[in-house]
């Protein structure tokens, strides 16, 4: 794998805890997201940081980054969790067979169960990160074993079929 730990996302001016926890502990993370502007990462990451900023990533490049990464770090904005929205990066990472460490989100757990490793707070984040470091192959195999289920439930084709069924039922 080309990258060890990866995060893909923007700040929207909101602190992304897992990134700042890693920065505080000098854990290296490759981060893709808007660097410049009022809400860019460049204004939030310290100079000489362990967080390597790569800038904006086009959607068509996501699979390449995810497939060449060991652990995908993920979190959700509070408004997303409150309204029941799932960060699509999670599903995209699973589609690529990546191990995902995500903040706990009830809807995620209901959909994906143990395909994702969850944390609730900073202490648990580092516990689960360490667990993933030592059990990476086990988690990767779990994701790969369930990949056909992910493909069947969440492919564009299956989602379009579901939308058509909903539209026809109304």
């Amino acid at each position: 794998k080309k990258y060890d730990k990866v995060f893909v996302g923007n700040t929207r001016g909101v602190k992304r805890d897992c990134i700042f926890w890693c920065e505080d502990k000098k854990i290296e993370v490759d981060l893709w997201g808007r660097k410049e502007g009022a809400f860019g990462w460049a204004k939030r990451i310290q100079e000489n940081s362990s967080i390597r900023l790569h800038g904006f990533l086009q959607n068509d490049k996501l699979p390449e980054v995810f497939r060449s990464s060991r652990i995908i770090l993920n979190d959700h904005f509070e408004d997303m969790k409150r309204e029941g929205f799932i960060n699509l990066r999670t599903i995209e990472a699973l589609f690529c067979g990546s191990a995902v460490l995500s903040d706990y989100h009830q809807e995620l757990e209901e959909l994906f169960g143990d395909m994702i490793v969850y944390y609730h707070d900073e202490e648990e984040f580092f516990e689960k990160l360490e667990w993933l470091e030592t059990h990476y192959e086990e988690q990767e195999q779990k994701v790969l074993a369930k990949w056909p289920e992910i493909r069947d439930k969440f492919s564009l084709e299956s989602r379009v079929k579901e939308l058509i069924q909903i539209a026809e039922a109304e």
Side-chain angles (χ1 to χ4, degrees):
K1 303 279 182 173
K2 185 175 180 179
Y3 307 105
D4 190 44
K5 292 167 210 61
V6 163
F7 182 90
V8 178
N10 295 311
T11 71
R12 289 188 356 192
V14 176
K15 186 176 181 185
R16 307 298 290 260
D17 287 334
C18 66
I19 294 303
F20 292 100
W21 296 337
C22 286
E23 186 176 39
D24 288 345
K25 300 267 188 196
K26 310 270 188 266
I27 294 172
E28 293 182 353
V29 176
D30 287 282
L31 186 151
W32 279 265
R34 284 184 173 50
K35 285 170 63 173
E36 306 306 324
F39 299 122
W41 282 106
K43 291 186 184 247
R44 285 159 178 69
I45 300 299
Q46 300 170 20
E47 224 175 285
N48 301 318
S49 175
S50 60
I51 310 300
R52 292 184 290 269
L53 299 179
H54 295 274
F56 182 76
L57 181 65
Q58 296 290 334
N59 284 338
D60 64 341
K61 302 293 184 202
L62 276 169
E64 179 184 332
V65 169
F66 286 154
R67 286 187 191 112
S68 59
S69 304
R70 287 187 76 233
I71 300 170
I72 307 301
L73 304 178
N74 182 64
D75 68 5
H76 293 82
F77 292 111
E78 286 304 316
D79 60 339
M80 291 175 70
K81 285 169 69 168
R82 184 177 56 252
E83 300 298 326
F85 287 95
I86 294 172
N87 182 339
L88 290 179
R89 299 291 177 252
T90 314
I91 299 170
E92 294 162 340
L94 291 173
F95 251 75
C96 294
S98 301
V100 177
L101 176 60
S102 180
D103 60 339
Y104 180 79
H105 190 311
Q106 182 178 343
E107 283 78 5
L108 263 186
E109 186 177 44
E110 289 171 7
L111 288 171
F112 299 107
D114 65 354
M115 283 188 270
I116 296 172
V117 178
Y118 304 96
Y119 64 90
H120 290 86
D121 55 33
E122 182 177 2
E123 181 179 345
E124 192 173 28
F125 172 81
F126 288 113
E127 288 171 8
K128 298 295 178 86
L129 185 59
E130 184 177 328
W131 183 88
L132 261 175
E133 293 283 354
T134 58
H135 295 84
Y136 173 76
E137 288 79 16
E138 177 185 332
Q139 187 65 23
E140 181 183 47
Q141 288 307 310
K142 197 179 291 184
V143 172
L144 292 175
K146 294 183 178 181
W147 193 88
E149 179 184 331
I150 296 168
R151 179 200 60 221
D152 292 345
K153 281 178 131 175
F154 297 100
S155 70
L156 180 60
E157 182 180 353
S158 67
R159 305 318 292 167
V160 168
K161 285 180 183 177
E162 185 176 340
L163 288 172
I164 291 170
Q165 288 174 344
I166 292 168
E168 288 175 346
E170 300 216 358

